[in-house]
Amino acid sequence: MDKPTYRTMGQQSGRRSWAEPWKIKMVEPIHLTSAEERERALAEAGYNTFLLRSEDVYIDLLTDSGTSAMSDRQWAGIMMGDEAYAGSRNFYHLEEAVQQTYGYKYVVPTHQGRGAEHLISQTLITPGQYVPGNMYFTTTRLHQELAGGTFVDVIIDEAHDPANLHPFKGNVDLDKLEALIVREGADKIAYVSLAGTVNMAGGQPVSMANARALRELCNRYGVSIYLDATRMSENAFFIQQREEGYGSKSIAEILSEFCSYTDGAWMSAKKDNLVNIGGWLAVNDYDVFDRLRNMVVIYEGLHTYGGMAGRDMEALAIGIVEGVQDDHIRSRVGQVLYLGGLLIDWEIPIVRPVGGHGIFLDARAFYPHIPQEQFPAQRLAAELYRDSGVRGMERGIVSAGRDPETGEHRHPALELTRLAIPRRVYTQAHMDVVAEAVKAVYDAREQTRGLKMVYEPAYLRFFQARFERLDG
Ligand SMILES: Cc1ncc(COP(=O)(O)O)c(C=O)c1O
């Protein structure tokens, strides 16, 4: 009998193998439900993966937000919580960690990213102003609109094409931005809303050259730049890998240079900062800080806790430092690239190049026979769960919502199903299971039909909308 040939991943890829820079100290059991149980759970959830119970999920790739595994040092930090109402020592640790890592002067804590978005939008936007940005993000744009602003997409065209291999598909199109400033006048621009990496484009990075040129352009017109720094460390990794002159710089060095081209940032600390809850704002302008610090007490909590417990701020302060370690980022993004590599090898349509925090399946290419109004990416997320208990989320027409003026569906060019990879949670074996699940759903694509929306909430409908299958 022939001897079976087992080859390590490294051998299969013609390199030495590498491994995660951590070992596991505590485990959380998970189990696979039966096909009947999943069918029932999906119908009860109205074919919306946000409405599934997590106990019914096997591998949970709904989001990389708040789903990281904290380190033993962070858990030790939890025990060091100073729960004083005012002046908690944990706040000062957090303030110092943000100042040293991101380089901004003043820090305001918030309970999570959208708390920070609310405050910065209300502070910086005068009704009637425009907010240009490198592709929208759901909660960010909604807060900008609720503050009376109009978001204008100024990302490069390549970002809207899932197959385009541009290395920095998150870049701002400086010509589009300048045309807007010239047409409307600089005083009609609230600020440039820059995100690194760009979630809705598939986790695509912005280059350092683009950030530098953006700063020069904005200086010429007196426009400020605020950064959504939620996944900026992952953005720094792509600069290190792809941009000339940055190969020997550390993630921390790249991150602080990038931030130096901006006037401030808001953060969902639930991502790069490796905590389950938290957020912050950081700015260089004292007057802006003063207004933010005044608003935080109305909506979030005192300016030395902003909606977080003292222990959460301590875990966050430690997470900020751990989150910019080169070996951490290399293995975090490496895991995403590994999963993407398998799917590309099997010719399954995904957004390319593979981004920083997850794989984005191209639902239009999966299901060319399902029109966008029948929610192909929503159906794809449902099918993946039905097949294997793997949970992803829709990032297409449902997430894009309706135009506030016309009330019509917005039709984004990208109709994607996102598989976001939590940090330090799953192993390479989990990635193999996910890859095989995606392949099984891809192989069954021709028999799959669309969905009909039967319940639609007024805001951020993707969280709570309900659907029915068109194929009964
Ligand atoms: C790019 C980006 N900005 C902002 C947010 C909002 O942060 P949060 O979920 O902490 O409110 C998210 C969350 O997914 C995000 O991905």
Side-chain angles (χ1 to χ4, degrees), residues 63-65 111-115 117 137 139-140 195 197 199 228 230-231 266-271 278 357 395 418:
T63 175
D64 62 327
S65 179
H111 81 281
Q112 65 181 85
R114 70 199 71 180
E117 288 169 344
F137 182 70
T139 56
T140 319
T197 57
N199 191 350
D228 183 340
T230 297
R231 297 187 183 82
W266 67 89
M267 182 74 186
S268 170
K270 301 169 74 176
K271 283 84 166 177
H357 65 298
R395 279 303 183 217
R418 184 183 80 173

Short mmCIF file of all heavy atoms in Angstrom, two decimals, residues 63-65 111-115 117 137 139-140 195 197 199 228 230-231 266-271 278 357 395 418, ligand 1:
data_model
loop_
_atom_site.label_atom_id
_atom_site.label_comp_id
_atom_site.label_asym_id
_atom_site.label_seq_id
_atom_site.Cartn_x
_atom_site.Cartn_y
_atom_site.Cartn_z
N THR A 63 -17.75 38.95 13.24
CA THR A 63 -16.99 40.18 13.36
C THR A 63 -15.67 39.95 14.09
O THR A 63 -15.55 38.98 14.86
CB THR A 63 -17.82 41.25 14.11
OG1 THR A 63 -17.01 42.41 14.32
CG2 THR A 63 -18.33 40.75 15.45
N ASP A 64 -14.74 40.84 13.86
CA ASP A 64 -13.49 40.86 14.64
C ASP A 64 -13.60 41.92 15.73
O ASP A 64 -12.60 42.33 16.29
CB ASP A 64 -12.30 41.16 13.72
CG ASP A 64 -12.42 42.54 13.07
OD1 ASP A 64 -13.56 42.96 12.79
OD2 ASP A 64 -11.39 43.19 12.84
N SER A 65 -14.82 42.36 16.02
CA SER A 65 -15.03 43.48 16.95
C SER A 65 -15.40 42.98 18.32
O SER A 65 -16.47 42.38 18.50
CB SER A 65 -16.15 44.37 16.41
OG SER A 65 -16.38 45.43 17.29
N HIS A 111 -17.27 54.61 25.27
CA HIS A 111 -17.58 53.19 25.55
C HIS A 111 -17.23 52.28 24.38
O HIS A 111 -16.89 51.12 24.57
CB HIS A 111 -19.05 53.03 25.97
CG HIS A 111 -20.01 53.02 24.82
ND1 HIS A 111 -20.42 54.17 24.17
CD2 HIS A 111 -20.64 52.01 24.18
CE1 HIS A 111 -21.27 53.85 23.22
NE2 HIS A 111 -21.40 52.56 23.19
N GLN A 112 -17.31 52.78 23.14
CA GLN A 112 -16.84 52.02 21.97
C GLN A 112 -16.74 52.98 20.81
O GLN A 112 -16.87 54.21 20.99
CB GLN A 112 -17.72 50.81 21.67
CG GLN A 112 -19.15 51.09 21.26
CD GLN A 112 -19.92 49.78 21.00
OE1 GLN A 112 -20.45 49.19 21.93
NE2 GLN A 112 -20.00 49.35 19.75
N GLY A 113 -16.49 52.46 19.60
CA GLY A 113 -16.20 53.34 18.47
C GLY A 113 -17.32 54.31 18.14
O GLY A 113 -17.11 55.50 17.90
N ARG A 114 -18.57 53.81 18.13
CA ARG A 114 -19.66 54.69 17.68
C ARG A 114 -19.95 55.80 18.69
O ARG A 114 -20.47 56.84 18.33
CB ARG A 114 -20.90 53.88 17.31
CG ARG A 114 -21.61 53.25 18.44
CD ARG A 114 -22.50 52.13 17.95
NE ARG A 114 -21.71 50.98 17.51
CZ ARG A 114 -22.23 49.86 17.05
NH1 ARG A 114 -23.53 49.74 16.91
NH2 ARG A 114 -21.47 48.85 16.70
N GLY A 115 -19.56 55.59 19.97
CA GLY A 115 -19.66 56.66 20.95
C GLY A 115 -18.70 57.78 20.57
O GLY A 115 -19.03 58.97 20.62
N GLU A 117 -17.56 58.28 17.50
CA GLU A 117 -18.05 58.86 16.24
C GLU A 117 -19.14 59.89 16.49
O GLU A 117 -19.19 60.93 15.85
CB GLU A 117 -18.62 57.75 15.34
CG GLU A 117 -17.55 56.85 14.76
CD GLU A 117 -18.14 55.61 14.10
OE1 GLU A 117 -19.32 55.28 14.34
OE2 GLU A 117 -17.41 54.96 13.34
N PHE A 137 -18.29 53.98 6.24
CA PHE A 137 -18.55 52.87 7.16
C PHE A 137 -19.93 53.12 7.77
O PHE A 137 -20.30 54.27 8.02
CB PHE A 137 -17.47 52.71 8.23
CG PHE A 137 -17.78 51.53 9.10
CD1 PHE A 137 -17.67 50.25 8.59
CD2 PHE A 137 -18.26 51.68 10.38
CE1 PHE A 137 -18.05 49.14 9.34
CE2 PHE A 137 -18.64 50.58 11.14
CZ PHE A 137 -18.52 49.31 10.63
N THR A 139 -21.73 52.89 10.73
CA THR A 139 -22.01 53.76 11.89
C THR A 139 -21.37 55.14 11.72
O THR A 139 -21.94 56.15 12.14
CB THR A 139 -21.51 53.12 13.20
OG1 THR A 139 -20.11 52.84 13.06
CG2 THR A 139 -22.26 51.84 13.53
N THR A 140 -20.20 55.18 11.09
CA THR A 140 -19.51 56.47 10.90
C THR A 140 -20.36 57.41 10.07
O THR A 140 -20.60 58.56 10.44
CB THR A 140 -18.15 56.24 10.18
OG1 THR A 140 -17.52 55.09 10.70
CG2 THR A 140 -17.25 57.44 10.31
N ALA A 195 -10.00 56.47 6.81
CA ALA A 195 -9.97 55.21 7.56
C ALA A 195 -8.82 54.34 7.09
O ALA A 195 -8.56 54.24 5.90
CB ALA A 195 -11.29 54.46 7.37
N THR A 197 -7.39 50.40 8.06
CA THR A 197 -7.73 49.99 6.71
C THR A 197 -9.22 50.30 6.42
O THR A 197 -9.92 50.71 7.34
CB THR A 197 -7.54 48.46 6.52
OG1 THR A 197 -8.36 47.79 7.51
CG2 THR A 197 -6.11 48.03 6.80
N ASN A 199 -12.70 49.07 5.92
CA ASN A 199 -13.51 47.89 6.21
C ASN A 199 -14.38 47.48 5.02
O ASN A 199 -14.32 46.35 4.54
CB ASN A 199 -14.37 48.20 7.45
CG ASN A 199 -15.07 46.99 8.02
OD1 ASN A 199 -15.09 45.92 7.41
ND2 ASN A 199 -15.65 47.13 9.18
N ASP A 228 -10.07 57.31 11.29
CA ASP A 228 -10.67 56.16 11.96
C ASP A 228 -9.53 55.15 12.13
O ASP A 228 -9.16 54.46 11.18
CB ASP A 228 -11.81 55.59 11.11
CG ASP A 228 -12.51 54.43 11.79
OD1 ASP A 228 -11.91 53.82 12.70
OD2 ASP A 228 -13.66 54.12 11.42
N THR A 230 -9.34 52.48 13.84
CA THR A 230 -9.79 51.16 14.32
C THR A 230 -8.86 50.02 13.92
O THR A 230 -8.55 49.15 14.73
CB THR A 230 -11.23 50.93 13.78
OG1 THR A 230 -12.06 51.93 14.35
CG2 THR A 230 -11.76 49.57 14.11
N ARG A 231 -8.41 50.00 12.66
CA ARG A 231 -7.52 48.91 12.21
C ARG A 231 -6.22 49.47 11.63
O ARG A 231 -5.66 48.94 10.67
CB ARG A 231 -8.25 48.02 11.19
CG ARG A 231 -9.47 47.33 11.77
CD ARG A 231 -10.09 46.32 10.80
NE ARG A 231 -11.29 45.72 11.37
CZ ARG A 231 -12.49 46.28 11.35
NH1 ARG A 231 -12.68 47.45 10.77
NH2 ARG A 231 -13.52 45.66 11.90
N TRP A 266 -10.44 58.67 15.93
CA TRP A 266 -11.38 57.97 16.80
C TRP A 266 -11.11 56.49 16.67
O TRP A 266 -10.55 56.04 15.67
CB TRP A 266 -12.83 58.31 16.50
CG TRP A 266 -13.35 57.86 15.18
CD1 TRP A 266 -13.95 56.66 14.91
CD2 TRP A 266 -13.35 58.59 13.95
NE1 TRP A 266 -14.31 56.61 13.59
CE2 TRP A 266 -13.96 57.77 12.98
CE3 TRP A 266 -12.88 59.85 13.58
CZ2 TRP A 266 -14.11 58.17 11.66
CZ3 TRP A 266 -13.04 60.24 12.26
CH2 TRP A 266 -13.64 59.42 11.32
N MET A 267 -11.50 55.77 17.70
CA MET A 267 -11.07 54.37 17.76
C MET A 267 -12.17 53.47 18.30
O MET A 267 -12.76 53.77 19.35
CB MET A 267 -9.88 54.30 18.73
CG MET A 267 -9.28 52.93 18.86
SD MET A 267 -8.33 52.58 17.35
CE MET A 267 -7.87 50.89 17.63
N SER A 268 -12.42 52.39 17.60
CA SER A 268 -13.14 51.28 18.20
C SER A 268 -12.07 50.35 18.73
O SER A 268 -11.46 49.58 17.99
CB SER A 268 -14.00 50.55 17.16
OG SER A 268 -14.49 49.37 17.75
N ALA A 269 -11.83 50.41 20.05
CA ALA A 269 -10.72 49.64 20.66
C ALA A 269 -10.99 48.15 20.63
O ALA A 269 -10.11 47.35 20.95
CB ALA A 269 -10.53 50.13 22.09
N LYS A 270 -12.21 47.78 20.20
CA LYS A 270 -12.60 46.38 20.15
C LYS A 270 -11.89 45.62 19.03
O LYS A 270 -12.06 44.42 18.90
CB LYS A 270 -14.12 46.30 19.93
CG LYS A 270 -14.89 47.00 21.04
CD LYS A 270 -16.36 47.17 20.71
CE LYS A 270 -17.09 45.86 20.82
NZ LYS A 270 -18.55 46.03 20.60
N LYS A 271 -11.13 46.33 18.20
CA LYS A 271 -10.42 45.66 17.11
C LYS A 271 -8.92 45.62 17.42
O LYS A 271 -8.48 44.85 18.26
CB LYS A 271 -10.69 46.39 15.79
CG LYS A 271 -12.06 46.09 15.19
CD LYS A 271 -13.14 46.94 15.75
CE LYS A 271 -14.42 46.89 14.93
NZ LYS A 271 -15.49 47.69 15.59
N GLY A 278 -14.64 49.00 24.44
CA GLY A 278 -13.87 50.23 24.69
C GLY A 278 -13.68 51.07 23.44
O GLY A 278 -13.88 50.59 22.31
N HIS A 357 -8.39 42.13 7.99
CA HIS A 357 -9.15 41.55 9.10
C HIS A 357 -10.12 40.46 8.69
O HIS A 357 -10.82 39.92 9.55
CB HIS A 357 -9.90 42.65 9.85
CG HIS A 357 -10.96 43.35 9.06
ND1 HIS A 357 -10.71 44.05 7.91
CD2 HIS A 357 -12.30 43.45 9.26
CE1 HIS A 357 -11.85 44.56 7.45
NE2 HIS A 357 -12.82 44.21 8.25
N ARG A 395 -22.16 42.43 3.70
CA ARG A 395 -21.61 43.77 3.50
C ARG A 395 -21.92 44.17 2.06
O ARG A 395 -21.05 44.18 1.20
CB ARG A 395 -20.09 43.78 3.77
CG ARG A 395 -19.73 43.86 5.26
CD ARG A 395 -20.32 45.06 5.88
NE ARG A 395 -20.02 45.32 7.27
CZ ARG A 395 -20.91 45.83 8.13
NH1 ARG A 395 -22.15 46.03 7.77
NH2 ARG A 395 -20.57 46.13 9.36
N ARG A 418 -18.76 39.00 4.45
CA ARG A 418 -17.48 39.12 5.17
C ARG A 418 -17.30 37.99 6.17
O ARG A 418 -18.22 37.68 6.93
CB ARG A 418 -17.46 40.46 5.92
CG ARG A 418 -16.15 40.71 6.61
CD ARG A 418 -16.17 42.00 7.39
NE ARG A 418 -16.85 41.82 8.67
CZ ARG A 418 -16.91 42.75 9.63
NH1 ARG A 418 -16.36 43.93 9.42
NH2 ARG A 418 -17.52 42.51 10.76
C1 LIG B 1 -13.97 50.93 10.57
C2 LIG B 1 -14.88 50.98 11.76
N1 LIG B 1 -15.16 52.16 12.32
C3 LIG B 1 -15.99 52.25 13.38
C4 LIG B 1 -16.61 51.15 13.92
C5 LIG B 1 -17.60 51.32 15.05
O1 LIG B 1 -17.08 50.83 16.25
P1 LIG B 1 -17.96 50.12 17.38
O2 LIG B 1 -18.51 48.86 16.83
O3 LIG B 1 -16.97 49.92 18.50
O4 LIG B 1 -19.04 51.06 17.79
C6 LIG B 1 -16.34 49.90 13.36
C7 LIG B 1 -16.99 48.68 13.91
O5 LIG B 1 -17.14 47.67 13.28
C8 LIG B 1 -15.45 49.81 12.25
O6 LIG B 1 -15.18 48.64 11.65
#
